[in-house]
Amino acid sequence: MKKYEEIYHPSVLLKESIEGLKIDKAKLGLDCTLGGAGHTVAFLKANPHLKMIALDQDEDVIEIAKKRLEKENLLDRVSIYYANFKDFDLVLKEEKVDKVDFIFFDLGVSHFQLRSDRGFSFWEDMPLDMRMDKNLKKNASDIVNTYKEKDLIKIFKEYGEEKYAPLIAKEIIRYRGKKKIESTLELSKIIEKVYLSKYLKKKNISEKDLEKYKDKYKKIFGKHPSTRVFQALRIEVNKEFDSLKEALNKVSNHLSPGGRLGIITFHSLEDKIVKNTLKGIKDLKLIDIYYPSKEEIEKNIASRSAKLRIYEKI
Ligand SMILES: C[S@@+](CC[C@H](N)C(=O)[O-])C[C@H]1O[C@@H](n2cnc3c(N)ncnc32)[C@H](O)[C@@H]1O
């Protein structure tokens, strides 16, 4: 398991964010997802007159960001807060600021979180946690061990678009009747079993041969079978969609006229929430949508699903 300091997070759509947010014209910006400070550093370097307010709900990640900013001699141009972005207006109030020239979101988890021992990944065995903010009360293990079957089905469907949601929920209930589900691999094995049984049945292969098909998931299913359920649990644990909607509804009140909003999403559900929430806000106009270049995808495969929406306050 790696410590945060040993992990590198490649920031996505950097050049495009600088252009879309008109960083060269901005005096004060707000980064709602500081992470490893990749975007904040790039913004500050692109415009020597720019000052930033930045927040993140992960206290560990904030320490990494501070070190990076200090190393780059940029720390004195950023005010950093440990906060959920749904409360970004309170952070601005604390700073005695009403409006900023741009607001930026780079949604989802950072590589620091994915590659750490916080339970976001099904590639290594670790406690099934998934809280970005360690002060949250409920973690992923609490959810899989206490939610009713119908609620598990609902979150796997709604937040993961998981086609086998009912079968996986049923298998979870059966398993937890005997033993509490505590680790990432424990849950992942339950999901793999459902996928493989379905596959073997379809291909008319005996369950006895199940072992032979393990570790061939990518070839068989295109994605690891646990991808969607893990995404759904992460969204539920961190109440990601509620926070996003709450934050987006406040953006327009805190952008200067002509100010810009930039949001990077990583999957269609997230993008749909952004699109639909902002559709109802009359004084925010969609200006552009950027996608990663072929070169960026070659260098960082995780960027392939990224999409940057730019809006302007009119
Ligand atoms: C993809 S990373 C950001 C990476 C950053 N832009 C960089 O280039 O280094 C997303 C960050 O947003 C944070 N985050 C996610 N949801 C949040 C929320 N509701 N409030 C505050 N921070 C949040 C996560 O903790 C994570 O550090």
Side-chain angles (χ1 to χ4, degrees), residues 4 9-12 14 31-40 55-59 61-62 68 81-87 104-113 118 132-133 238-240 243-244 247 264 266:
Y4 270 20
H9 174 89
S11 304
V12 305
L14 266 184
D31 183 350
C32 283
T33 50
L34 177 65
H39 286 90
T40 284
L55 57 95
D56 202 291
Q57 63 174 343
D58 183 334
E59 285 173 299
V61 120
I62 285 180
R68 165 113 196 253
Y81 288 81
Y82 157 59
N84 189 303
F85 57 54
K86 71 180 164 65
D87 299 320
F104 176 69
F105 295 82
D106 175 16
L107 297 175
V109 269
S110 67
H111 282 219
F112 305 110
Q113 291 156 331
R118 305 264 290 271
M132 289 190 211
D133 178 350
N238 298 289
K239 299 279 174 234
E240 290 183 25
S243 299
L244 181 58
I264 300 178
F266 286 89

Side-chain angles (χ1 to χ4, degrees), residues 66-81:
K66 277 187 181 158
K67 277 190 198 143
R68 165 113 196 253
L69 285 156
E70 197 163 24
K71 215 164 129 193
E72 304 269 5
N73 257 327
L74 295 168
L75 192 55
D76 58 342
R77 289 168 58 199
V78 199
S79 291
I80 299 177
Y81 288 81

